[in-house]
Amino acid sequence: MQLNSEVTDTLIDRLAADLETSDFSVGTLSELWGERAEQALHRGERVPALRALAARRSSQAPHSAETSSSATALVFASASESEPAVTLASLFLLGVPVDASALAAAVPTLGLDGAVELGLVAVEGGQARALVDLRPYSFVDTAGAGSWWIVSDLGEMVLDGALTTDHVLGVGGASLTLSGLMVSRPVERVLDLGTGCGIQALHAARHAGHVVATDISARALEIAALNARLNGVHNIEFRLGDMFEPVEGERFDQIVTNPPFVITPRRADVPAYEYRDGGRIGDGIMREVVTGVGRHLNPGGIAQMLGNWEYRAGEDGFDRVRGWVQASDAPLDAWLIERERQDPAAYAETWIRDGGTRSGTPDFDRLYNAWLDDFADRGVESVGFGYLTLRRAEQDQQDPQAAKPLRRFERMPDALAASSGLGTHIAAVLDAHDWIAAHDDDALWRATLQVAPDVTEERNYWPGNDDPSTITLKQGGGFARTVKLDTALAALVGASDGELPVGVIVEAIAQLLDADVPALRQELLPRLRQLILDGFVQPLG
Ligand SMILES: C[S@@+](CC[C@H](N)C(=O)[O-])C[C@H]1O[C@@H](n2cnc3c(N)ncnc32)[C@H](O)[C@@H]1O
């Protein structure tokens, strides 16, 4: 079903007023159905939530709850007396039709006609049926806690069968990963490429003067614009078009994109879902984003993205990404974190199921073969998934000898899927890289450092032994890294309290350990640089 194209600001504002009045919030819903139902919903299962709502209703009106085990019948024979939040949750999250009168009561300002006109519901035979998903969303970022309502297309959980190819995605795990990684320092202009329901643009709008949100899907842009209005966000501009085409010749301080990176066989009998498939061969969409993004960044501007990269026969996937970074028109820093690597079969299963095709069906097997043929054609042995942060150099005409671009390619299978603090950490790591690049060993020797506040040290001892067998530095925030230290480096870190310069501390350690100062300096400084880069110790000034 298409969202009504004549969405009016007035209707959206009325909807917002009704959602506010009914306290349609994450907290209200958690309270309505409890933690286990919440977890089941995260797994894509709605029965526990339906049962919880039915139980709630029967405790309020003992004779009205259905006893049938059918999922939708678990809700109400007549929902007209329901609390508004129950009606809205049943309808828009769980996909259960409700009495039209119950919906009218839940959105008194918008009214039933308004809900129909906005394209939220269809009414038939006295029942209202949801045409979209509408749910509360809460978050914490550097500006503090916040909450929005987000409209998207109905998900697989409430649809019978596969998704349509023009499906507009709601806020999923990948969306949360990217929004958690997003650097949120104040900037003037941000681009959200492939905005979908607009979730990244909404987040960016909190720290940006102006956000341009693009998508190839007009329907996605309509929904994203509705979401912006619904949440009182007025600094996002929406533009239709393929990749960078809507921003040709423009530059931004920051670019975020959760691009349609899913590798899909290019065959007529394989559905191309707009929300995840950019229509290119293999990982071609990632190559386009990485090679093209620098042109649209202001000097010093940061681009952050999620993506897949192929490992083809005899080639490291990281080398493919390195090649794309090198091929960029503008010089880029690059920091890639690979969180997962899947073999072609596991990858195919993941994405065929994601489209709503169940395994064990002839369709599933046909699609599975198509995916494996496609991977075999290019000699793909596995597919990496992770995050990529790129930064345009401050000056394009750098002396290539003097320029030390960041090239950090890491495998981090335990990296957090989503964390609201990672954006701040990523910005700090980029700063640390700049500091390190600007300080040679003599300057580092004179520098004063301090241990970051989230760092702790753990020492293990063999029984009866006074000297530790291992010393481990642990990071509480960021990527929660751990580093093994030897006695000298542990002493240097331990004495870095913002008082004494590095050189003075190293000379004292050399005396204590009866070591040669130049040799100790040569041994410790490279490792100290790594600790600074990872955020364990911070330079003062
Ligand atoms: C994975 S979704 C990301 C949605 C949202 N930004 C998020 O983080 O949840 C990718 C989005 O890219 C859009 N898209 C697909 N192909 C595109 C293209 N060639 N150019 C621009 N956007 C495209 C899709 O319509 C979809 O909304």
Side-chain angles (χ1 to χ4, degrees):
M1 275 283 182
Q2 288 275 310
L3 189 74
N4 190 326
S5 61
E6 289 180 6
V7 288
T8 71
D9 290 350
T10 312
L11 291 177
I12 297 170
D13 294 348
R14 287 181 185 163
L15 172 63
D18 288 333
L19 297 176
E20 186 74 53
T21 307
S22 63
D23 192 18
F24 191 50
S25 66
V26 170
T28 301
L29 297 189
S30 306
E31 208 178 296
L32 282 180
W33 46 52
E35 203 182 318
R36 288 196 179 158
E38 186 99 357
Q39 287 166 358
L41 285 171
H42 281 299
R43 296 192 298 272
E45 300 299 339
R46 63 178 170 170
V47 171
L50 288 165
R51 290 173 66 90
L53 293 191
R56 186 180 177 90
R57 170 132 182 105
S58 71
S59 73
Q60 288 167 355
H63 304 298
S64 61
E66 292 278 349
T67 50
S68 159
S69 61
S70 124
T72 53
L74 280 166
V75 189
F76 324 128
S78 158
S80 57
E81 306 139 45
S82 295
E83 302 152 78
V86 172
T87 301
L88 296 171
S90 307
L91 183 63
F92 290 118
L93 264 95
L94 305 179
V96 179
V98 300
D99 263 14
S101 57
L103 179 60
V107 289
T109 324
L110 176 66
L112 205 53
D113 290 347
V116 171
E117 203 177 328
L118 265 183
L120 303 179
V121 294
V123 178
E124 222 176 322
Q127 294 261 296
R129 179 171 54 85
L131 298 179
V132 293
D133 185 296
L134 164 58
R135 61 183 63 206
Y137 165 80
S138 64
F139 57 88
V140 180
D141 64 12
T142 48
S147 63
W148 293 317
W149 299 290
I150 302 292
V151 171
S152 65
D153 270 334
L154 290 168
E156 194 205 330
M157 185 177 77
V158 302
L159 290 173
D160 289 333
L163 303 177
T164 57
T165 50
D166 67 348
H167 179 80
V168 176
L169 206 60
V171 179
S175 326
L176 296 176
T177 299
L178 184 60
S179 61
L181 293 169
M182 196 188 296
V183 170
S184 55
R185 288 181 175 166
V187 285
E188 196 39 50
R189 300 192 80 218
V190 176
L191 168 65
D192 172 20
L193 190 146
T195 196
C197 68
I199 186 63
Q200 311 301 341
L202 284 168
H203 277 288
R206 283 168 67 83
H207 65 267
H210 185 76
V211 179
V212 175
T214 69
D215 208 290
I216 203 163
S217 155
R219 188 176 145 62
L221 292 178
E222 263 183 17
I223 290 181
L226 185 155
N227 284 329
R229 177 89 198 181
L230 188 59
N231 295 292
V233 177
H234 301 290
N235 57 341
I236 307 176
E237 180 193 339
F238 298 93
R239 296 190 199 168
L240 182 68
D242 182 32
M243 297 298 286
F244 294 107
E245 181 259 338
V247 293
E248 198 45 55
E250 290 179 56
R251 285 189 184 181
F252 298 84
D253 304 307
Q254 188 177 4
I255 298 177
V256 286
T257 178
N258 174 8
F261 58 77
V262 176
I263 297 165
T264 309
R266 302 265 70 92
R267 287 171 43 162
D269 59 348
V270 174
Y273 294 106
E274 220 163 29
Y275 72 89
R276 66 181 210 196
D277 172 14
R280 274 57 168 180
I281 292 171
D283 52 16
I285 199 91
M286 290 308 296
R287 182 181 49 75
E288 270 181 50
V289 175
V290 176
T291 56
V293 79
R295 236 179 308 137
H296 297 281
L297 283 172
N298 281 322
I302 293 172
Q304 293 179 280
M305 66 202 68
L306 306 181
N308 276 148
W309 34 89
E310 294 181 337
Y311 285 73
R312 297 187 181 172
E315 186 193 23
D316 186 337
F318 281 8
D319 288 338
R320 282 181 75 68
V321 183
R322 275 192 196 98
W324 301 337
V325 172
Q326 282 307 121
S328 161
D329 298 341
L332 294 172
D333 284 319
W335 180 13
L336 179 145
I337 293 174
E338 183 177 87
R339 213 184 72 192
E340 198 183 340
R341 194 164 152 189
Q342 281 187 307
D343 67 68
Y347 187 91
E349 289 161 23
T350 303
W351 292 109
I352 297 168
R353 283 199 195 103
D354 175 81
T357 307
R358 310 245 176 255
S359 60
T361 61
D363 254 0
F364 187 91
D365 292 353
R366 180 180 57 77
L367 291 171
Y368 206 157
N369 271 309
W371 243 277
L372 294 185
D373 285 346
D374 180 56
F375 281 133
D377 284 349
R378 291 188 303 282
V380 175
E381 291 170 346
S382 59
V383 180
F385 165 78
Y387 337 127
L388 184 57
T389 299
L390 302 170
R391 182 176 58 165
R392 184 169 180 159
E394 283 292 349
Q395 289 164 0
D396 287 357
Q397 305 305 323
Q398 285 175 334
D399 169 4
Q401 295 302 320
K404 294 176 193 157
L406 176 68
R407 287 286 180 273
R408 194 166 184 183
F409 287 71
E410 317 183 70
R411 298 195 163 88
M412 227 189 268
D414 299 326
L416 303 174
S419 161
S420 52
L422 281 175
T424 307
H425 177 71
I426 286 171
V429 168
L430 293 175
D431 286 350
H433 164 75
D434 294 345
W435 190 92
I436 287 167
H439 289 73
D440 63 13
D441 278 357
D442 288 343
L444 176 56
W445 193 251
R446 291 190 301 274
T448 305
L449 309 176
Q450 71 180 8
V451 180
D454 63 331
V455 170
T456 53
E457 189 195 80
E458 190 179 282
R459 290 177 181 238
N460 292 305
Y461 295 83
W462 294 113
N465 202 330
D466 287 343
D467 293 326
S469 53
T470 58
I471 308 173
T472 310
L473 219 49
K474 294 190 164 185
Q475 191 171 45
F479 289 106
R481 294 176 194 268
T482 58
V483 181
K484 293 260 184 280
L485 306 180
D486 60 21
T487 313
L489 189 56
L492 174 53
V493 170
S496 295
D497 59 0
E499 294 286 325
L500 297 172
V502 170
V504 173
I505 300 173
V506 174
E507 279 166 358
I509 295 169
Q511 208 167 14
L512 273 172
L513 299 180
D514 199 15
D516 176 47
V517 172
L520 198 58
R521 167 180 159 135
Q522 209 175 356
E523 180 197 319
L524 289 179
L525 292 198
R527 297 172 66 198
L528 189 59
R529 285 182 184 278
Q530 190 61 42
L531 290 179
I532 295 170
L533 187 64
D534 286 341
F536 285 94
V537 282
Q538 300 163 336
L540 292 184

